[in-house]
Amino acid sequence: MTEYMIFTLLVFMLLAAVIALESKDLLSSIISVGAVGFMLSVIFLFLKAPDIAIVQVVIEILTLVILIRVTISRDIDRKSVV
């Protein structure tokens, strides 16, 4: 049963990674990368590695906050120039 859940999460991770690569909107790409990181932490939980899952979540949250902040400020700068 666990193998099927891990395989399903891996498929969704692959789908989210492709969306992140192909998306034209930067915020959508960042959200897709966040989905990949969240699914990876769930996979770590299924593999009985809660310490690695916690570290993954913390790093993912910090990275997403920084990326969203940079993206929003970049969009504001771009709109004020145009």
Side-chain angles (χ1 to χ4, degrees):
M1 183 67 180
T2 323
E3 296 87 19
Y4 296 119
M5 291 296 290
I6 291 174
F7 181 73
T8 304
L9 286 171
L10 286 174
V11 169
F12 283 132
M13 280 177 62
L14 184 63
L15 181 65
V18 169
I19 290 171
L21 287 174
E22 296 297 324
S23 178
K24 301 293 183 200
D25 185 29
L26 289 177
L27 194 57
S28 299
S29 296
I30 293 171
I31 292 170
S32 298
V33 168
V36 171
F38 175 72
M39 287 183 250
L40 184 62
S41 65
V42 173
I43 288 174
F44 284 142
L45 286 175
F46 278 129
L47 294 175
K48 309 268 190 283
D51 51 345
I52 298 174
I54 291 170
V55 170
Q56 172 66 29
V57 167
V58 169
I59 297 297
E60 190 70 32
I61 288 171
L62 290 175
T63 304
L64 286 177
V65 166
I66 292 169
L67 284 175
I68 288 173
R69 178 70 180 145
V70 168
T71 301
I72 289 174
S73 66
R74 183 176 174 183
D75 285 343
I76 290 172
D77 290 342
R78 187 179 297 170
K79 287 180 182 176
S80 65
V81 171
V82 174

